[in-house]
Structure formats: C-alpha cells, structure tokens
Amino acid sequence: MSDAKPVSTPIDKRIKMVNAMSPTSQEEIEEMREIPYQNAVDSLMYASIGTRPDITHALSRASQFAINPGRQHWIAVKRILRYLKGTKSLKLMFSKSKFTTLEVFCDADWESDEDDYRSYTGYLFISAGAAVSWFSRKQPTFVLSTTEAETAKEALWI
C-alpha cells in the first residue's frame, strides 16, 4: 500500500458491502485465504480505538465480513488504508480555550444493511476541541431508535 493513491474519504458510499460479495466457489475462497484481511482489520481497529474516530464507521462495516471476506470487501479495507495514508497529518489536539465545552454528535441510519435491514448508530464526544469518545456499530436488534439512549448513557459517564 506504500504506493497507493490517497483518497479523501474512508468509505465509498456507492459500494454496498453485502454477504453476496463473499466468495462462494472453492477457487474464490482459496484466493481470499492468501489476503491478510483479518490482520488489516485488526490493525485498523487498533488505530480506530486509539486515535482515529474518522475511520470507525467504515471499519465497522468492513469488520462484519472478517470470517468470509470477498474481493470487494478487501477493496473497501484498502480504501481505509488509502484514506489513512492521505490523512497522516490529522491528530487529536486539545485546546485550553475550549476546555469547558463538551460537544456531542450522534446519528443513526434506518435499515441500511441490505443483508439484515438493521440500522447503524454512532456518536462522537468532543471535549477541549478533540474527540474523547466515539463508536459506530450495527444495532443488535430491530429498533426504532436507541441513539439517544446510548448517547445519554455515554454523556453521563463522561
């Protein structure tokens, strides 16, 4: 990936990652065994948890296919790597002047996963001008909305 062309976003909204992209033939399965998909996802997870909230949602989507990734899933993971390459200079910086403010952003989509029609929820807490808590995940069950509940629980903890 050292010669890869950087991209401006970690996910391409035009490409839907679905189970149908997973390999079905023995030949495709063997081909994907040679690709370090799980290692890449694990490494990206480390970065996402520690310092890169900007890749959390894209990684959440890609990690669902770690057991049986297809070629399109691998392209999606490589896109995250290309995004990181182009944004190496981004960093979390705390500001003394903004120390007392806490900003909260949360969002959920509605049945965006085409395989099981579950929704994604995510939030971002910013304190002193830098991200201090974030997450993105697929809802475990069908729900109307738990974004507010999850965000409120995290806000009380912070």
Side-chain angles (χ1 to χ4, degrees):
M1 295 299 299
S2 61
D3 295 330
K5 181 181 174 188
V7 292
S8 61
T9 60
I11 194 168
D12 185 348
K13 292 185 82 170
R14 296 172 294 171
I15 297 176
K16 301 283 186 189
M17 286 193 283
V18 293
N19 285 331
M21 295 176 172
S22 294
T24 53
S25 72
Q26 192 60 36
E27 183 179 309
E28 289 174 326
I29 292 169
E30 291 299 322
E31 177 186 341
M32 289 308 296
R33 268 198 195 125
E34 301 299 318
I35 293 176
Y37 190 90
Q38 184 66 49
N39 291 343
V41 167
D42 289 348
S43 296
L44 290 168
M45 189 68 71
Y46 180 79
S48 171
I49 290 170
T51 60
R52 295 303 299 252
D54 49 341
I55 65 169
T56 302
H57 180 67
L59 185 58
S60 175
R61 301 293 291 244
S63 65
Q64 293 178 69
F65 305 99
I67 300 297
N68 190 24
R71 190 173 292 145
Q72 290 298 319
H73 302 128
W74 178 235
I75 290 170
V77 168
K78 289 195 300 186
R79 181 178 180 93
I80 299 170
L81 293 169
R82 290 172 53 207
Y83 170 76
L84 289 175
K85 181 179 181 176
T87 58
K88 286 189 281 190
S89 63
L90 293 181
K91 49 189 130 182
L92 299 174
M93 298 213 24
F94 294 97
S95 167
K96 280 185 177 182
S97 64
K98 296 181 179 180
F99 190 68
T100 59
T101 60
L102 178 66
E103 297 174 274
V104 180
F105 301 91
C106 63
D107 198 6
D109 62 9
W110 185 252
E111 299 178 345
S112 69
D113 191 296
E114 293 182 15
D115 289 320
D116 60 13
Y117 298 103
R118 292 193 182 154
S119 302
Y120 276 84
T121 299
Y123 64 70
L124 171 69
F125 282 78
I126 297 176
S127 179
V132 293
S133 180
W134 57 86
F135 99 147
S136 173
R137 73 169 183 205
K138 189 186 329 185
Q139 291 293 338
T141 59
F142 293 101
V143 293
L144 294 177
S145 176
T146 61
T147 305
E148 294 86 4
E150 290 284 345
T151 306
K153 183 173 73 174
E154 185 72 8
L156 288 173
W157 182 83
I158 288 176

